[in-house]
Amino acid sequence: MNKTENKNPIILDSEKLFAIAINNHLNNNGANWIIHKSEYKYCYLDFVLINLNNLYSVYLEYKERSYCYGYKSYETYFISIRKYQAIKKCYNNCYIVWDFTHNTKNDDEFYYIHFDKELFEKFDKDINKSRLLIPSKYCKTGFINLMTDLIDKIPNRNLI
């Protein structure tokens, strides 16, 4: 290895790290899943997880975030209105994730919500910024909790 290789190790982006963490967790816990990253740069969602035993699928939208202007928490998170419309129309079995852990180094700074059409229709829209505002009180926390929700929702057997 030359000096340049030592100084410039390959660093994976946060989406790849997230996918690897999901894959490792699920495979270490007896789940028979695969995870695929969308190949189209402008796809509305980032990942699909497929249970190979029953082909049940769930979609994930992953957002790495940092707190701005001295904030240590937010009362709302957001997705674009176009993303919301796509989820509502095509990807309604979807989890949306906001991950602040890379910047805070605090594992509790990981928030997610499962799409629920009736609930999401109640959320405010910021038309000027083209955003759907999602109150943090509706979000759950923790990567392990997300994995538990996925395993509970998608068992390794026939669904009916």
Side-chain angles (χ1 to χ4, degrees):
M1 212 181 281
N2 65 36
K3 290 182 183 180
T4 304
E5 289 173 338
N6 288 333
K7 290 181 183 178
N8 298 317
I10 296 173
I11 298 174
L12 299 174
D13 71 348
S14 61
E15 286 183 348
K16 287 182 183 177
L17 292 172
F18 181 63
I20 290 168
I22 289 173
N23 194 51
N24 289 342
H25 183 85
L26 293 174
N27 288 325
N28 289 336
N29 288 287
N32 189 17
W33 295 51
I34 56 172
I35 181 169
H36 282 285
K37 169 80 174 94
S38 61
E39 294 180 4
Y40 180 54
K41 181 178 180 180
Y42 302 106
C43 184
Y44 288 112
L45 297 176
D46 295 312
F47 302 100
V48 61
L49 283 86
I50 303 169
N51 183 311
L52 294 175
N53 289 336
N54 53 29
L55 299 180
Y56 190 82
S57 301
V58 64
Y59 299 96
L60 290 170
E61 170 60 16
Y62 175 79
K63 301 203 164 290
E64 180 184 15
R65 292 290 185 249
S66 299
Y67 290 114
C68 298
Y69 310 113
Y71 285 94
K72 294 185 180 177
S73 65
Y74 291 132
E75 291 182 17
T76 59
Y77 303 107
F78 66 87
I79 58 172
S80 73
I81 290 177
R82 289 193 50 99
K83 188 177 299 272
Y84 162 64
Q85 291 167 341
I87 291 170
K88 186 167 62 169
K89 182 177 180 182
C90 306
Y91 307 105
N92 49 29
N93 191 19
C94 177
Y95 286 87
I96 304 163
V97 172
W98 295 271
D99 184 357
F100 294 83
T101 62
H102 297 286
N103 297 306
T104 64
K105 307 301 183 215
N106 179 348
D107 289 343
D108 293 332
E109 298 290 329
F110 183 96
Y111 305 94
Y112 68 95
I113 188 168
H114 186 257
F115 176 76
D116 178 304
K117 185 177 179 180
E118 288 180 24
L119 179 62
F120 274 51
E121 286 176 355
K122 296 176 185 176
F123 295 158
D124 291 332
K125 294 179 179 134
D126 181 344
I127 301 302
N128 294 329
K129 294 183 179 178
S130 190
R131 295 177 175 172
L132 178 73
L133 304 174
I134 300 171
S136 59
K137 68 182 181 182
Y138 293 103
C139 296
K140 295 181 180 181
T141 60
F143 177 80
I144 298 300
N145 293 333
L146 173 62
M147 295 298 97
T148 301
D149 283 358
L150 289 173
I151 290 170
D152 288 348
K153 185 175 246 344
I154 308 172
N156 282 321
R157 57 173 170 68
N158 283 333
L159 300 173
I160 297 176

